[in-house]
Amino acid sequence: MARVAVVTGGTRGIGAAISRALKAAGYKVAANYVGNDEAAQKFKAETGIGVYKWDVSSFEACAAGIKQVEADLGPVEVLINNAGITRDSQLHRMKPEQWTAVINTNLGSLFNMTRQVIEGMRERKFGRIVNISSINGQKGQFGQTNYSAAKAGEIGFTKALAQEGARSGITVNAICPGYINTEMVQAVPKDVLEKSILPLIPIGRLGEPEEIARCVVFLASDDAGLITGSTLTANGGQYFT
């Protein structure tokens, strides 16, 4: 029987690639989103993947969202915490709402989402949780104290929960993408991309969303049962850990 996978931020960018890849691998996929109804409906029409709208920064919304997914598809056995936002600013100019929005969406969502499924995973003695962190959570980034703090927090969350879930057959891992060819990166001015970003990447190119998705599919599989508490860097050699 096909396992049920939930992908937060699952209708655009890296999340959309993950949703597609998991479906191709035989999972029943629920793609969460919050803001762009048009993009979500287009994604659903193109892929046949069910889309579910809720705000991952709200514990109550996550509880209701997972309840609906499980009513439609069955118990959630795979959770991909991918949703994230940026509100960049140097700290001396950063407004409290910029800090709070990023921390709540990027880091708070891990608790809000995982808390809804962890008890069921423990009862069934199986679970796969993959958290999409970032290279900037590993090395930091100018103008992103909020984002870097949240993404570094995801790595700590991953390592702690991996210890809690190991005896119950639950693996918890993080992936730290580098610069990936998504809408967000495509919005960077071409001269900045070519002069300031690409020269820092030893392989000489951006990553593709599908490359991150393939990492997720492996970590979600039965074959990855030995791997837990790990951080997989996928950045073209830009930063080594």
Side-chain angles (χ1 to χ4, degrees):
M1 187 173 180
R3 288 187 168 131
V4 176
V6 172
V7 183
T8 67
T11 64
R12 300 171 65 190
I14 292 173
I18 292 170
S19 296
R20 287 190 177 96
L22 286 169
K23 182 184 179 184
Y27 295 84
K28 292 190 287 186
V29 180
N32 153 267
Y33 77 104
V34 67
N36 193 323
D37 292 315
E38 183 179 352
Q41 292 306 314
K42 181 180 179 182
F43 175 81
K44 180 180 180 180
E46 291 174 348
T47 65
I49 294 171
V51 297
Y52 294 80
K53 185 176 183 178
W54 74 81
D55 181 359
V56 294
S57 71
S58 164
F59 184 85
E60 292 76 17
C62 290
I66 290 296
K67 184 177 180 180
Q68 185 61 59
V69 169
E70 294 196 326
D72 293 346
L73 303 179
V76 174
E77 295 176 288
V78 176
L79 172 62
I80 315 301
N81 287 308
N82 167 75
I85 62 172
T86 57
R87 298 289 185 270
D88 294 353
S89 174
Q90 293 181 58
L91 187 67
H92 67 278
R93 296 173 180 165
M94 187 176 291
K95 298 177 181 179
E97 52 267 31
Q98 290 175 292
W99 174 269
T100 302
V102 170
I103 296 297
N104 288 352
T105 298
N106 296 17
L107 181 57
S109 63
L110 268 64
F111 172 78
N112 296 338
M113 287 296 300
T114 308
R115 186 64 182 82
Q116 315 306 329
V117 301
I118 193 69
E119 290 186 64
M121 289 179 175
R122 289 173 64 89
E123 290 170 4
R124 294 185 296 273
K125 300 296 182 184
F126 180 87
R128 294 287 186 265
I129 299 167
V130 182
N131 301 316
I132 307 302
S133 180
S134 169
I135 185 175
N136 292 340
Q138 296 174 301
K139 72 175 186 59
Q141 179 62 33
F142 184 94
Q144 286 195 329
T145 52
N146 50 4
Y147 185 83
S148 294
K151 292 300 183 179
E154 290 188 29
I155 296 171
F157 178 99
T158 296
K159 292 179 178 181
L161 187 60
Q163 296 177 56
E164 295 182 14
R167 292 294 180 92
S168 299
I170 302 167
T171 67
V172 189
N173 293 288
I175 298 174
C176 287
Y179 283 90
I180 306 300
N181 189 24
T182 61
E183 289 180 22
M184 185 170 65
V185 173
Q186 289 167 3
V188 174
K190 186 177 180 181
D191 62 323
V192 173
L193 191 65
E194 293 180 350
K195 295 178 181 178
S196 301
I197 295 176
L198 289 178
L200 300 176
I201 305 173
I203 65 170
R205 65 171 177 85
L206 300 174
E208 294 298 330
E210 292 75 17
E211 293 179 294
I212 305 303
R214 288 193 287 271
C215 297
V216 171
V217 171
F218 171 65
L219 290 175
S221 71
D222 289 359
D223 291 339
L226 184 65
I227 303 172
T228 193
S230 293
T231 301
L232 176 59
T233 59
N235 60 38
Q238 184 178 352
Y239 185 77
F240 298 136
T241 59

